Amino acid sequence: MVMLSDHIRHTQNPDQLEQFFLSATDRAFEITRGRGHPGRYSFPVVLVTPRGSHVTRKFSEIILIETGKNDWVVDKLP
């Protein structure tokens, strides 16, 4: 939660955010090369989840922003 921006913490339901992170035990993430400009970068992400004998893939992105003093936070979750 410390690495999330104020924007995410104030616009998302805290219980749903907690559940998102707790349910990550059966998932994998593929993160590819990011793009952006100084202070804001976007990284394409694929969430990989087993579904029985199959694997599902959900395409999304993570956005990181600089908050100052070389600190970065996540401003968008997949």
Side-chain angles (χ1 to χ4, degrees), residues 15-52:
D15 293 331
Q16 288 178 338
L17 273 177
E18 185 175 342
Q19 185 60 36
F20 174 79
F21 289 110
L22 292 176
S23 66
T25 58
D26 292 338
R27 289 188 273 176
F29 300 87
E30 296 176 2
I31 301 175
T32 61
R33 184 180 203 130
R35 64 188 183 285
H37 52 82
R40 182 180 174 89
Y41 292 91
S42 171
F43 296 88
V45 174
V46 180
L47 302 172
V48 182
T49 308
R51 300 277 182 195

